[in-house]
């Protein structure tokens, strides 16, 4: 899976969902539930020409009542019979070649499956993206375009990987290979057609559904709800290959059809000899970076603005350019900078963040990325219009770096002195007294075991978030935190890809991250309906409002974080005291949202108003950053006189600052 994370209470998730598909339980079970690793099946070059499958079948017979396990087993037996029956019994391996198309990119994939165990490996090339994914019999792994590898350890990845392995070993036909709970889901009608539904939950996995055409007893489509979306995969163009029915065309969608992924089978070979080594995670690649002569470490200054880390970088020898630094973020450049560098983006892939809309994302490969005394070669970048975030941030930026840098070095983020120190892992040895907190990767984000007010969960560590603690909607609702924490105010808590992010603002009592304790963090209970903050596998997202209380070592190779309390540690965590969200809009500051019951509402401000003056001075004399800082830092009861333009009518209002938490 290829991920781009752009946070600032905004998170872009670019998922190249090139699914490794073939028909499941009635064709070929190679559906990739996540990843850019396509794999499926097709006829081998030396095999007889494939013939269209006969699409006639017995009329729907009387079946046991929906919910019946025995009924589901009988239905799956029919799908096996329709797909070739005993012809599948002798299948031990599958080797496939496919064509892949998504988001304006075209490519190819090669897949190997051990059908007896579910082990698999898929390699792919899609536009500028290359890489591989696999499952070694115990865990999934990925290899990205730069050759870097990692284990898939996040909850979504683990359960999705179990489902994938179950399908690869045809567990629905051969239950001795992989245990699962199966259930007859009854008859359903969709778009004028009737389907028999079977619900399957593999051991270690999650529920997915097979929608079976009762006229043929072949699978028409599959439905699976993943972390932040429900994906439907349509199987068609069934053909006979050596007595087995195989779907030669697969289309996968999350409902936004412009981002659909289409897989077309070119070739398949059953029972080819396997190379056992191909299922294992590849060895790390040779270093694709270099330090200045004689150095093994470099220290670069940064600016902390809106709790975001901004560093200076060089691209293709040009610059410096101002980039946001985000622990889980992939490389991003703006279209403006891409044009300046003379590179043209490929594709229009789906970008999704904490907001509820999607955005198009292109891809480019740059010759070099320079950070301090380090130069990284041949880096893949997403191209995304971050220019508009200057109106949100109050500061222009040209892109983002994060995971691609952090995974290669031991990185110390010194929030106290605004410095990043990047050290070659082989030269890094920690000698301090900080608290060591182990982590796993949730996608590309470090995730730790922790708790909020004694409620355990998994917490992502996100330097790209301006917030202190954001609790995701499923976790907050499951634990009734709205009631327990006495939430009264709902507000726009951030702005990102897809627009505003909304949440209930409360104050937690204690956040624990491993052996680290943080008292009274300002906490957002996310109210998002779509996007990154609806992930049921994650309890919360820990942002820089908490992280800046420490100097932190991010040791990705050792999978550990080291927290050192700094001079900020005892500072109180304060939330905005104005009760509104403002963005820059030309020569004024626009009121985007007003919190019901908050100070801005009491002052008579409304969404759409333009702030044109502060204390009688034109707004040009006050930056967005400066006014936000006043709203947060000045004492409760402070009166601020604002000049407001409401649709051409100008007036003065007095804003009286107040704590909302």
């Amino acid at each position: 899976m290829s991920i781009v994370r752009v946070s600032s209470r905004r998170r872009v998730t670019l998922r190249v969902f090139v699914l490794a598909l073939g028909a499941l339980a009635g064709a070929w079970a190679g559906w990739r539930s996540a990843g850019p690793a396509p794999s499926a099946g097709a006829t081998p070059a030396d095999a007889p020409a494939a013939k269209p499958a006969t699409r006639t079948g017995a009329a729907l017979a009387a079946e046991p009542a929906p919910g019946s396990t025995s009924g589901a087993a009988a239905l799956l037996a029919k799908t096996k019979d329709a797909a070739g029956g005993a012809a599948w019994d002798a299948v031990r391996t599958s080797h496939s070649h496919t064509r892949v198309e998504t988001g304006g990119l075209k490519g190819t994939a090669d897949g190997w499956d051990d059908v007896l165990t579910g082990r698999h490996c898929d390699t792919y090339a899609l536009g500028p993206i290359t890489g591989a994914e696999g499952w070694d019999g115990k865990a999934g792994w990925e290899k990205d375009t730069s050759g870097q590898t990692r284990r898939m350890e996040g909850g979504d990845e683990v359960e999705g990987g179990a489902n994938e392995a179950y399908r690869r070993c045809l567990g629905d036909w051969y239950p001795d290979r992989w245990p699962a709970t199966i259930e007859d889901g009854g008859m359903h009608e969709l778009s004028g057609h009737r389907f028999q539904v079977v619900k399957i939950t593999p051991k270690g996995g999650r529920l997915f559904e097979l929608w079976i055409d009762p006229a043929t007893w072949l699978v028409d489509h599959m439905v699976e709800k993943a972390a932040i979306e429900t994906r439907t995969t349509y199987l068609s163009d069934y053909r006979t290959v050596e007595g087995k029915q195989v779907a030669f065309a697969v289309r996968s969608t999350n409902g936004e059809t412009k981002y659909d992924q289409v897989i077309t089978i070119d070739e398949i070979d059953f029972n080819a000899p396997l190379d056992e080594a191909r299922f294992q995670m590849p060895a790390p690649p040779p270093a694709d970076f270099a330090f200045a002569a004689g150095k093994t470490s470099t220290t670069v200054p940064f600016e902390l603005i809106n709790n975001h880390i901004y560093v200076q970088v060089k691209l293709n020898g040009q610059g410096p350019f101002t980039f946001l630094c985000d622990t889980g973020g992939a490389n991003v450049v703006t279209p403006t900078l891409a044009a300046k560098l003379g590179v043209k983006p490929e594709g229009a892939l789906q970008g999704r963040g904490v907001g509820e809309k999607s955005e198009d994302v292109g891809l480019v490969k740059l010759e070099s990325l320079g950070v301090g005394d380090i130069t990284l070669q041949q880096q893949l970048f997403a191209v995304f219009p971050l220019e508009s975030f200057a109106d949100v941030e109050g500061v222009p930026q040209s892109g983002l770096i994060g995971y691609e840098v952090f995974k290669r070095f031991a990185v110390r983020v010194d929030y106290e002195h605004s410095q990043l120190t990047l050290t070659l892992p082989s030269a890094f040895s920690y000698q301090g007294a900080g608290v060591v907190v182990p982590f796993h990767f949730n996608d590309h984000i470090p995730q730790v075991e922790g708790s909020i007010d004694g409620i355990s969960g998994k917490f992502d560590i996100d330097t790209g978030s301006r917030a202190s603690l954001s609790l995701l909607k499923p976790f907050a609702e499951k634990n009734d935190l709205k009631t327990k924490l006495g939430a009264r105010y709902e507000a726009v808590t951030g702005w990102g890809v897809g627009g505003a992010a909304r949440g209930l603002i409360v104050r937690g009592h204690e956040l624990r991250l491993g052996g680290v304790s943080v008292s009274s963090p300002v906490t957002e209970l996310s109210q998002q309906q779509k996007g990154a903050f609806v992930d049921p596998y994650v309890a919360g997202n820990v942002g820089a409002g908490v992280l800046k209380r420490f100097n932190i070592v991010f040791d990705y190779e050792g999978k550990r974080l080291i927290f050192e309390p700094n001079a900020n540690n005892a500072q109180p965590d304060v939330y905005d005291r104005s009760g509104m969200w403002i963005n820059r809009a030309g020569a004024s500051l626009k009121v985007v949202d007003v919190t019901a019951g908050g100070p801005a509402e009491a002052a008579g401000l409304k969404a759409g108003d333009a702030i044109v003056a502060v204390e009688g001075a034109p707004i040009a004399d006050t930056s967005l950053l400066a006014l936000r800082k006043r709203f947060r830092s000045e004492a409760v009861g402070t009166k601020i006189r604002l000049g407001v333009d409401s649709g051409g009518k100008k007036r003065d209002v007095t804003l009286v600052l107040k704590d909302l938490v």
Side-chain angles (χ1 to χ4, degrees):
M1 184 159 42
S2 177
I3 297 289
V4 175
R5 298 278 184 182
V6 180
S7 301
S8 71
R9 307 296 313 126
R10 65 183 188 267
R11 184 180 293 245
V12 177
T13 305
L14 164 62
R15 293 180 180 271
V16 186
F17 281 111
V18 184
L19 308 179
L21 292 158
L24 158 75
W28 180 238
W31 183 51
R32 290 228 47 88
S33 48
S39 159
T43 50
D46 57 353
K51 299 177 182 179
T54 303
R55 299 284 299 194
T56 60
L60 180 64
E63 295 293 340
S68 163
T69 299
S70 61
L75 293 170
L76 292 177
K78 287 190 176 187
T79 66
K80 181 184 178 185
D81 288 343
W88 289 96
D89 294 349
V91 173
R92 299 292 181 267
T93 72
S94 172
H95 178 210
S96 59
H97 299 283
T98 58
R99 283 173 286 132
V100 183
E101 185 172 352
T102 186
L105 298 177
K106 295 182 179 181
T108 59
D110 184 80
W112 284 89
D113 297 291
D114 177 351
V115 182
L116 297 182
T117 67
R119 293 182 304 165
H120 53 270
C121 173
D122 306 312
T123 58
Y124 56 89
L126 183 68
I129 307 169
T130 60
E133 281 193 358
W135 193 76
D136 63 10
K138 294 182 179 179
W141 54 265
E142 74 166 2
K143 175 183 176 182
D144 64 20
T145 299
S146 67
Q148 300 288 321
T149 59
R150 73 171 183 91
R151 289 285 180 190
M152 294 183 178
E153 300 169 323
D156 182 39
E157 295 174 318
V158 170
E159 290 192 2
N163 279 21
E164 180 62 24
Y166 173 86
R167 290 186 284 255
R168 296 275 183 132
C169 71
L170 302 177
D172 41 1
W173 292 343
Y174 304 96
D176 57 313
R177 297 178 186 174
W178 197 292
T181 300
I182 61 171
E183 181 182 341
D184 178 356
M187 290 294 298
H188 293 261
E189 187 168 315
L190 182 66
S191 302
H193 298 278
R194 299 181 75 206
F195 297 96
Q196 175 66 59
V197 176
V198 175
K199 299 180 178 182
I200 302 176
T201 306
K203 182 179 180 181
R206 61 190 172 211
L207 173 69
F208 70 95
E209 297 178 348
L210 301 182
W211 287 57
I212 302 162
D213 182 350
T216 62
W217 290 106
L218 297 174
V219 174
D220 180 85
H221 63 275
M222 299 173 288
V223 181
E224 181 171 347
K225 186 179 187 305
I228 62 173
E229 68 178 8
T230 297
R231 203 146 194 78
T232 303
T233 303
Y234 295 93
L235 312 173
S236 60
D237 191 17
Y238 278 89
R239 303 181 191 180
T240 302
V241 180
E242 300 174 1
K244 297 175 284 291
Q245 296 299 308
V246 176
F248 273 56
V250 180
R251 178 175 64 87
S252 179
T253 183
N254 62 5
E256 296 191 58
T257 56
K258 66 181 292 186
Y259 303 115
D260 285 2
Q261 296 93 42
V262 178
I263 308 273
T264 304
I265 288 172
D266 281 336
E267 186 178 23
I268 190 168
D269 181 15
F270 294 112
N271 293 331
L274 288 179
D275 177 2
E276 295 290 323
R278 74 172 65 252
F279 300 124
Q280 303 303 311
M281 187 168 71
D288 57 359
F289 59 86
F291 279 89
K295 293 194 173 185
T296 58
S297 184
T298 186
T299 297
V300 297
F302 68 78
E303 289 188 273
L304 192 67
I305 303 173
N306 290 325
N307 279 348
H308 296 149
I309 295 171
Y310 285 95
V311 298
Q312 300 299 306
V313 306
K314 291 186 176 182
L315 298 176
N316 290 357
Q318 300 182 43
F321 306 108
T322 301
F323 270 46
L324 188 148
C325 183
D326 176 358
T327 44
N331 297 328
V332 178
V333 294
T334 62
T336 301
L337 182 53
K340 181 176 181 177
L341 296 173
V343 293
K344 184 177 180 180
E346 298 181 52
L349 298 159
Q350 185 174 20
R352 176 176 288 167
V354 294
E356 297 187 355
K357 297 179 181 179
S358 296
E359 303 278 356
D360 289 351
V361 180
L363 298 171
V364 296
K365 185 171 280 190
L366 299 183
E367 293 179 5
S368 66
L369 162 64
V371 182
D373 293 315
I374 300 171
T375 301
L376 290 80
Q377 305 293 337
Q378 297 298 313
Q379 292 293 297
L380 185 68
F381 278 76
V383 180
F384 189 83
L386 293 176
E387 292 94 342
S388 63
F389 286 112
D391 292 336
V392 178
E393 285 289 278
V395 58
Q397 56 190 280
S398 296
L400 180 148
I401 58 171
Y403 174 74
E404 294 298 324
V405 173
F406 277 60
K407 71 183 179 182
R408 289 169 168 80
F409 308 101
V411 182
R412 186 173 190 266
V413 180
D414 185 340
Y415 278 104
E416 184 175 356
H417 302 99
S418 297
Q419 293 181 332
L420 290 179
T421 299
L422 289 72
T423 304
L424 194 68
S426 61
F428 178 76
S429 176
Y430 183 73
Q431 303 297 325
V435 178
V436 177
V437 178
F439 74 82
H440 293 295
F441 280 112
N442 176 33
D443 230 330
H444 296 158
I445 302 176
Q447 184 180 84
V448 304
E449 297 286 343
S451 66
I452 178 68
D453 293 357
I455 304 171
S456 298
K458 298 179 184 297
F459 293 83
D460 289 347
I461 306 300
D462 185 4
T463 62
S465 168
R466 76 170 69 192
S468 293
L469 174 63
S470 302
L471 298 180
L472 276 57
K473 186 178 179 69
F475 178 81
E477 290 185 343
K478 176 183 177 182
N479 294 288
D480 192 21
L481 294 181
K482 178 179 179 180
T483 301
K484 291 178 181 177
L485 296 177
R488 295 175 54 201
Y489 297 102
E490 180 178 333
V492 169
T493 55
W495 201 274
V497 175
R502 301 191 68 86
L504 298 170
I505 306 303
V506 296
R507 188 179 294 279
H509 299 292
E510 183 190 34
L511 169 67
R512 294 197 66 87
L513 304 170
V516 173
S517 175
V518 178
S519 298
S520 304
V522 171
T523 302
E524 164 200 349
L525 309 182
S526 176
Q527 298 297 293
Q528 296 304 102
Q529 302 298 321
K530 297 180 181 179
F533 278 11
V534 300
D535 188 339
Y537 299 96
V538 181
N541 195 74
V542 181
V546 164
L547 302 179
K548 70 181 181 182
R549 297 168 177 244
F550 304 87
N551 299 330
I552 306 174
V553 174
F554 291 81
D555 179 3
Y556 279 21
E557 184 174 279
K559 287 188 181 178
R560 60 176 181 163
L561 306 174
I562 305 174
F563 288 79
E564 302 170 338
N566 62 26
N568 303 318
N569 194 259
Q571 295 295 318
D573 195 3
V574 178
Y575 184 68
D576 174 90
R577 290 169 169 150
S578 72
M580 62 179 169
W581 183 276
I582 56 175
N583 286 338
R584 191 172 62 192
S588 67
L589 299 179
K590 182 179 180 181
V591 178
V592 176
D593 184 76
V594 173
T595 302
E601 184 184 65
L605 288 161
K606 295 181 180 179
D609 285 348
I611 299 173
V612 296
V614 179
E615 307 293 3
I619 197 64
D621 296 342
T622 302
S623 70
L624 174 62
L625 292 175
L627 190 55
R628 280 187 178 155
K629 184 176 180 179
R630 289 192 67 185
F631 290 165
R632 182 182 293 267
S633 63
E634 295 197 9
V636 171
T638 298
K639 296 180 180 180
I640 302 176
R641 184 163 55 93
L642 303 175
V644 178
D645 185 329
S646 300
K649 293 184 63 176
K650 295 186 178 181
R651 70 188 195 281
D652 283 347
V653 303
T654 299
L655 181 71
V656 182
L657 300 185
K658 169 186 172 182
D659 273 333
L660 299 181
V661 294

